[in-house]
Each structure stands twice: as C-alpha cells, then as structure tokens.
Amino acid sequence: MRVLVVGGGGREHALCWAIAASPVCDKVYCAPGNAGIAAVAECVNITTENIDGIIAFARDNKIDFVVVGPEAPLVAGLVDKLTDAGLKAFGPTAAAARIEGSKGFMKDLLAKNNVPTAWYKRFTDAAGAKKFVREKGAPIVVKADGLAAGKGVTVCATVAQAEAAIDAAMTAKEFGAAGSELVIEECMVGEELSYFVLTDGFAVLPLGGAQDHKAVGDGDTGPNTGGMGAYAPAPILDAALEEKILRDIVKPTLRGMAAAGAPFKGVLYAGLMITKDGPKVIEYNARFGDPECQVLMMRLKSDILPALVATADGELAHMDLRWKDEAAVVVVMAAKGYPGAYQKGSVIGGLTDAAAIEGAQVFHAGTKAEMKDGKPVITAQGGRVLGVAASAKTVSAAQALAYKAVDTIAWPEGFCRRDIGWRAIAREKNKA
Ligand code: AMP
Ligand code: GLY
C-alpha cells in the first residue's frame, strides 16, 4: 500500500513510524511532515489546510490510503472530499467530526443519549451567559463552542473570572467565530483519563487509556498546554472501569451518532473525568491525542495499518490488536516561553545519540532540517518541538529511560517537565 499521512506533529511522526514498519506498506508520504518524519516517510510540502492540494497529490501519486492526524482538516471535511474523489481515508466525516468541532453539538448528543457528563447550557449572548454564571456560582467552566487550538476552555474559580472569560470569547472575540457560541458547564472533580477506541461506526476496538500532563510546570502548575507528556497504560483504568466506559459512554455515544445520521468512523478519543460518581465525559476528540498517540504506538505490538484500513472499510469487528506488556512514557521538550511567545530557529543537538538509547524513541513535533554555517542541522520550529519516548517494564523505568534520552539532547533553548508519570510512579511505589 501507498499511504499518505496528513499532519506534521509528534502524533503524525508516531503514526508514520508505526505505518512504515507495516509489512503491507510500500511507501509512506507525509504532508507536510517534519525533520524527524523525513527519516520514515517522504515529506511533501502541502499544508493541512490545503484540501485540494492533498487530494491532487493523493490522486497523482496513486495513494491507496490517507490517514488524517489533526482535527482541523477533519472538521473542514477532508475525509468527505477524499471519499468523493474515490480515495480511501481514515478519519470521521465533517458531520461526525462535529463531536469535537462543536461542544454544543457534543453536549446535546450526550444529553439525548444519557451519557454521563457535566451539566451545561449553551449561549449565543454574553448577557445571558453571565446571568447563568451568577445563578450557578463558581467554580464553573466556560468553553468556546468551536475549535480554538486547545485554548477555548477556561476553568473558572470565581464568578468574576467566568465573566471575564465570557467577555474574552464574545466581546473581544479572542477565538474568532469559534467563540461566538459558548457552553457553560459544571466544574467536575476527579482524575483525568484519555481513553481511545478505533471504531467503524458500529464495532469498537479499544486502544486503552493514557494520561496526559496538560499544565506546563512540574507538579501540574502553571498555564495549560497541548500536553507536556503522557504515559500509558493508565493505572486507574482497570477492567471494571473500562467495561463501564465502553457500556455507558462510548457505545451510547456511537449509537447516538449513527442515529443522528453521522456514524463516527476513525479514532474516538474520550477525555474523561473519573469522579466519585463514576466516569463522565469532559470532551470528545475526533483524532488521536498528541502526545498520547506516541505512547500508544510505543506499546503496540501488532501492525497498525490493517486496523486503520479495517476502520475505514467498516470491517473492524474482525480485527484484534496486541500490546506489549510494558509501560511507555513520553516527555515533551518545548521551546522556552511556551505556551506563551517563544523563539524559533535554535539548533538541537544530540538527537542521534538519544535515539540510539535502547528502548527510547525521539518523535519530532516542530522541527526543520536546515543548513547553518555550511552544516546540516535540526532546528526548533514550534512550541512543542520533540516527544522523547521510552518503554520499559514499569512507568518508573520508562520514565528514567526517557529522561536519560532527554539529557542526551543538547538544546539550551528548550525545556521539559521533570515529573511526567508522577501519579503512576507514586502508585508503583505504594505497591512495592
Ligand atoms: P479541553 O480543552 O476540553 O481538553 O479542556 C482542557 C482541560 O480543562 C481539561 O483537560 C480539564 O482539565 C479541564 N476541564 C474542561 N472541562 C472541565 C470540566 N467540566 N470540569 C473540570 N475540568 C474541566
Ligand atoms: N493531548 C491532548 C490532545 O491531544 O488534545
């Protein structure tokens, strides 16, 4: 098969790495890819917004299968347009991707299908939203309805903060059109879990759980980011909890999507809060998490490609995946300043030595290969720049290996958290 992966982050590096290892894969292309992806796929200079460009490339290069990584092209209808052009693609249609693209749509769907989630109300006017916030009191959560690159959610400790968040979205239009409608909802308390399944709309193939570290600083302090690290499996996810999540959350959601005329095909990522009353949905995503995808791929023993194809073909009921009996940890290295303003263009050294460490794997998120002073170098081109991953028998051992690889990388302009996996490691220590 000739495969095209759409995207250029750590998630897409992990996908390209896994797909390139498939015996049924002849060639992997990635649009636009990055300097790390170039080691396992041929990168083509087409952005993820350029839907016509992606379709033309796939057609001209006899691509058998397109795998779409990020949410924006899914919500924009890339899979619909590929399908219309006679090309096979992995990912939901635009109608199904609304589960991520409109929080109001998602909340109404859950309410209609009795899926446990935070109570909520939708608003298109600031005055009504503020009145609701004053009635309900704090803590409370204010969310932009549409895609806001991970920045549209404000967990508010006070009513004043919630009013400011409403003004930021509706009056200052900080998230553009994505914030012209808001969802205001209950602030839930508990431990967070990312749970992933492949689904062809009906059959479900669980990929298990992972935990992400959203805050920028050690001890989960400071502003939220796209994710500073992750680990899998998630120790909180035992067999009983997984059964409950599948029965009470994932399956009724998929039945609801099918009943709404938008069966969901692809990877469904449930962001869950494990509350004292059981698991509840925080949000749904229509794609793999990043960096969570990196730890999922590190643990995967089976060939991913047939499972992705079976998802697209509606034949997932016949698939099975095997996982390594190991834990995986990924530490994100970001440019200093992230998630605020940061510099681009600094040189990253030591990547080859880090990748040579047995059990470690360096995934690139925002890098570029350039010539500097006549020498080829890898430079930082984004906020989150690298995902340094490792797998081992325990989370503690995988964490130690990941930090060994991090410390081999010479990049003074970058930083990372030093405590990725702390919750699981504390549990391992308690058990020992
Ligand atoms: P999201 O962008 O939807 O992933 O939200 C970002 C983060 O905000 C989540 O990972 C949670 O930590 C937090 N969050 C969102 N909604 C809620 C809620 N209803 N209750 C508590 N925390 C929330
Ligand atoms: N790591 C969180 C996300 O991919 O949305």
Short mmCIF file of all heavy atoms in Angstrom, two decimals, residues 4 33 85 288 301 327 344 350 359 372 385 425:
data_model
loop_
_atom_site.label_atom_id
_atom_site.label_comp_id
_atom_site.label_asym_id
_atom_site.label_seq_id
_atom_site.Cartn_x
_atom_site.Cartn_y
_atom_site.Cartn_z
N LEU A 4 -0.58 7.98 2.64
CA LEU A 4 -0.30 9.40 2.90
C LEU A 4 -0.84 9.76 4.28
O LEU A 4 -2.02 9.56 4.56
CB LEU A 4 -0.99 10.28 1.85
CG LEU A 4 -1.00 11.79 2.12
CD1 LEU A 4 0.41 12.37 2.10
CD2 LEU A 4 -1.88 12.53 1.10
N GLY A 33 4.60 16.94 7.24
CA GLY A 33 5.67 16.24 7.93
C GLY A 33 6.61 17.19 8.66
O GLY A 33 6.28 18.37 8.86
N ALA A 85 -13.66 11.87 -4.03
CA ALA A 85 -12.68 11.75 -5.11
C ALA A 85 -12.27 10.30 -5.34
O ALA A 85 -11.36 10.02 -6.13
CB ALA A 85 -11.45 12.60 -4.79
N PHE A 288 -6.47 11.02 17.22
CA PHE A 288 -5.56 10.60 18.29
C PHE A 288 -5.12 11.81 19.10
O PHE A 288 -4.98 12.91 18.55
CB PHE A 288 -4.30 9.96 17.70
CG PHE A 288 -4.47 8.53 17.27
CD1 PHE A 288 -4.57 8.20 15.93
CD2 PHE A 288 -4.50 7.51 18.21
CE1 PHE A 288 -4.72 6.88 15.53
CE2 PHE A 288 -4.63 6.18 17.82
CZ PHE A 288 -4.75 5.87 16.48
N LYS A 301 2.17 -3.84 19.60
CA LYS A 301 2.97 -4.94 19.07
C LYS A 301 2.49 -5.28 17.65
O LYS A 301 3.28 -5.63 16.78
CB LYS A 301 2.77 -6.16 19.98
CG LYS A 301 3.99 -7.05 20.09
CD LYS A 301 3.65 -8.38 20.73
CE LYS A 301 3.77 -8.39 22.22
NZ LYS A 301 3.42 -9.68 22.82
N ALA A 327 5.17 -0.45 29.95
CA ALA A 327 4.65 0.91 30.07
C ALA A 327 5.46 1.81 29.15
O ALA A 327 6.62 1.56 28.89
CB ALA A 327 4.78 1.39 31.50
N LYS A 344 11.88 30.83 17.47
CA LYS A 344 12.09 29.72 16.54
C LYS A 344 13.53 29.75 16.04
O LYS A 344 14.16 30.79 16.06
CB LYS A 344 11.17 29.87 15.33
CG LYS A 344 9.72 29.55 15.62
CD LYS A 344 8.91 29.60 14.34
CE LYS A 344 7.43 29.33 14.65
NZ LYS A 344 6.60 29.41 13.46
N GLY A 350 22.48 16.34 19.59
CA GLY A 350 22.41 15.10 20.38
C GLY A 350 21.27 14.17 20.02
O GLY A 350 21.04 13.17 20.71
N GLY A 359 15.39 1.19 23.70
CA GLY A 359 14.08 1.39 24.35
C GLY A 359 13.56 2.81 24.22
O GLY A 359 12.42 3.10 24.60
N LYS A 372 23.23 25.38 8.40
CA LYS A 372 23.72 26.56 9.14
C LYS A 372 25.24 26.51 9.11
O LYS A 372 25.82 25.47 9.46
CB LYS A 372 23.21 26.53 10.59
CG LYS A 372 21.95 27.36 10.75
CD LYS A 372 21.67 27.79 12.18
CE LYS A 372 20.39 28.61 12.17
NZ LYS A 372 19.77 28.76 13.44
N VAL A 385 8.26 20.79 20.55
CA VAL A 385 9.25 20.53 19.50
C VAL A 385 9.61 19.04 19.38
O VAL A 385 9.73 18.52 18.28
CB VAL A 385 10.51 21.40 19.75
CG1 VAL A 385 11.64 21.03 18.80
CG2 VAL A 385 10.14 22.88 19.58
N ILE A 425 3.83 6.61 38.99
CA ILE A 425 5.04 6.22 39.72
C ILE A 425 4.75 6.17 41.22
O ILE A 425 5.20 5.26 41.92
CB ILE A 425 6.20 7.17 39.35
CG1 ILE A 425 6.61 6.87 37.89
CG2 ILE A 425 7.38 7.01 40.31
CD1 ILE A 425 7.55 7.87 37.28
#
